[in-house]
Amino acid sequence: MDVYEAVRSRRAVRSFTDRPIPKEVLERVLSAAAWSPSGSNLQPWHAYVLTGAPLAELKKRAGERVAAGGPWDEPEYEMYPPSLKSPYDERRSAFGKQRYGALDIAREDWEARQRAAAANWDCFGAPVALFCYIDRDMGPPQWSDVGMYLQTIMLLLRAEGLHSCTQMAWAKYHKTVAEIISPPSELILFCGISIGFEDVTVGYTRLDRAPLDETVRFIEN
């Protein structure tokens, strides 16, 4: 698979089979991803990979929290600005319409939306979950480095015939994740990534992208 195909075929898959992934495949992907760019070669990412019993226990505990209906953990970073301006607000709204529309869930059906969101805590059935942390002392440039690292991982997974889904939602249950992983206190959980083989029996709607002239300007003679 060439780079263009990997980029175009990468998407957030929300339905995986339970087919196991050999550890050597994950090691190959993560070893290559270590070559991702970072300012002054800081390599500010910290990745934890869960499979088997540890992942099953995390899913169980997260599911119990959802069932109990308790509050989310205190946020450790701001996922989105409090007030999104145009065109970002429209794009986010369009995402919600396409995402839940594909599931035949009406905007006002809050219970159905909650059930769909609950699939996050099962990693959409994936047999592997990666949790990415960053040091609390790092600034915006290092968070950008982590983003490039995660993108590299996702593209390499496509080269292995695998799919993924990045989930900032796990930051809402960072204390539950920490119960399993026991990360150093100086680290913040940025996101989780569900990894596996796509369940192709489940349909999906490919989300749109903004046209090139909306996001790119060529400055020419």
Side-chain angles (χ1 to χ4, degrees):
M1 180 181 294
D2 69 17
V3 176
Y4 281 91
E5 184 180 356
V7 170
R8 288 172 179 146
S9 64
R10 187 222 59 82
R11 59 186 176 82
V13 166
R14 294 183 174 87
S15 185
F16 296 92
T17 71
D18 60 1
R19 178 180 167 186
I21 301 171
K23 185 178 180 181
E24 56 265 30
V25 172
L26 299 172
E27 290 177 336
R28 182 163 59 242
V29 165
L30 294 171
S31 293
W35 291 98
S36 300
S38 63
S40 295
N41 199 31
L42 293 187
Q43 304 168 68
W45 44 79
H46 299 262
Y48 296 79
V49 181
L50 293 185
T51 61
L55 179 57
E57 180 62 21
L58 175 61
K59 291 180 179 181
K60 175 178 174 291
R61 295 189 188 191
E64 289 171 349
R65 285 193 63 176
V66 172
W72 288 330
D73 295 334
E74 188 72 21
E76 296 191 288
Y77 69 90
E78 193 174 79
M79 291 187 182
Y80 302 100
S83 179
L84 281 174
K85 62 183 180 182
S86 182
Y88 313 113
D89 184 53
E90 292 87 346
R91 289 175 185 167
R92 187 178 185 184
S93 295
F95 164 76
K97 289 178 182 177
Q98 286 182 290
R99 163 85 174 113
Y100 293 108
L103 298 173
D104 293 323
I105 297 176
R107 180 181 179 85
E108 64 277 5
D109 192 344
W110 182 247
E111 287 189 8
R113 285 180 171 236
Q114 288 292 87
R115 287 195 299 273
N120 274 287
W121 318 122
D122 186 49
C123 297
F124 305 106
V128 177
L130 181 150
F131 293 91
C132 189
Y133 287 76
I134 185 170
D135 197 291
R136 297 177 188 277
D137 293 337
M138 295 293 101
Q142 289 75 53
W143 283 75
S144 175
D145 292 341
V146 169
M148 290 189 282
Y149 172 67
L150 295 174
Q151 172 77 341
T152 302
I153 289 173
M154 290 185 282
L155 295 180
L156 290 167
L157 289 170
R158 289 301 303 122
E160 298 285 352
L162 296 162
H163 273 285
S164 61
C165 182
T166 309
Q167 300 166 265
M168 284 194 297
W170 277 110
K172 299 178 182 295
Y173 279 178
H174 62 85
K175 291 182 180 179
T176 302
V177 178
E179 290 173 3
I180 304 299
I181 289 176
S182 299
S185 60
E186 65 268 21
L187 298 184
I188 292 176
L189 175 60
F190 173 36
C191 69
I193 303 182
S194 294
I195 299 170
F197 291 95
E198 180 183 9
D199 182 352
V200 296
T201 66
V202 177
Y204 74 93
T205 300
R206 183 85 193 225
L207 300 180
D208 297 330
R209 290 295 186 267
L212 191 66
D213 61 7
E214 190 174 309
T215 60
V216 177
R217 299 290 183 271
F218 288 96
I219 311 299
E220 301 174 295
N221 291 332

